[in-house]
Amino acid sequence: FPSHDNGTTNKMEGVAWNDKLAGTILLWENEYGDLYVVNGHHRVMAAKENNIQTLDAKILKGITAEEARAEGAILNIAEGSADAFDTAKFMRDTNSTLEDLTKLGVPPKSKIARDGANLAKLEDGLFYMTATKQIPYERAATPGILPSSPIMVH
């Protein structure tokens, strides 16, 4: 999907609004009272497109931005709306293992969990190169193809 300036895709563009399918979005409130969407970006965009004024929301308070981002990420992973890179980023950001994901309810044999775990082990430069499509995803997600220990990337 093409992406917007805020990093989200337009996969909901043109979709008719349905209150029954909107669910609850997840917001984070920082120490200044500012609210940020951590789960439900596409629904917020669709609501704006359809002139919807209110959405059900849960507000996370008293946690850091990193903790809020992790909450949103694990929800996306569990809901199946994340990809292997989202999973890998979550694992890297939270120092999580495949076992940790399993404890959070993610099936360990799912492709997203296996590929995410393999991508999370990559050296930073190789992870970046894969995320920016300089290295094919299939190659990077295959165990043993790319080194997982730090190396010099030219």
Side-chain angles (χ1 to χ4, degrees):
F1 298 104
S3 68
H4 296 282
D5 293 338
N6 64 3
T8 60
T9 63
N10 64 353
K11 74 179 186 179
M12 298 282 290
E13 196 168 325
V15 173
W17 184 259
N18 183 334
D19 281 329
K20 294 177 185 174
L21 300 178
T24 302
I25 62 170
L26 186 61
L27 304 173
W28 169 65
E29 183 178 334
N30 70 10
E31 65 270 22
Y32 307 108
D34 302 319
L35 293 173
Y36 296 89
V37 179
V38 294
N39 181 275
H41 297 87
H42 294 106
R43 287 173 282 159
V44 169
M45 288 171 38
K48 286 179 182 178
E49 271 188 23
N50 289 279
N51 296 313
I52 303 300
Q53 300 298 311
T54 60
L55 293 170
D56 289 335
K58 176 181 177 185
I59 301 174
L60 302 172
K61 297 179 180 185
I63 63 173
T64 66
E66 292 78 16
E67 291 167 328
R69 189 171 43 250
E71 291 275 338
I74 197 62
L75 272 174
N76 281 335
I77 293 165
E79 292 171 347
S81 58
D83 62 20
F85 284 107
D86 296 324
T87 304
K89 181 144 181 38
F90 170 81
M91 293 177 78
R92 291 166 69 100
D93 289 349
T94 60
N95 294 315
S96 296
T97 64
L98 193 53
E99 184 177 307
D100 296 327
L101 285 183
T102 303
K103 290 176 184 173
L104 292 169
V106 178
K109 293 184 179 181
S110 68
K111 183 166 176 49
I112 191 173
R114 287 179 293 132
D115 287 356
N118 290 332
L119 291 169
K121 294 174 187 173
L122 292 175
E123 180 271 331
D124 290 346
L126 293 174
F127 183 80
Y128 174 80
M129 291 174 70
T130 305
T132 57
K133 300 183 180 9
Q134 297 174 54
I135 296 174
Y137 162 81
E138 295 78 19
R139 184 171 181 215
T142 303
I145 298 292
L146 296 178
S148 56
S149 59
I151 64 164
M152 180 69 72
V153 178
H154 297 287

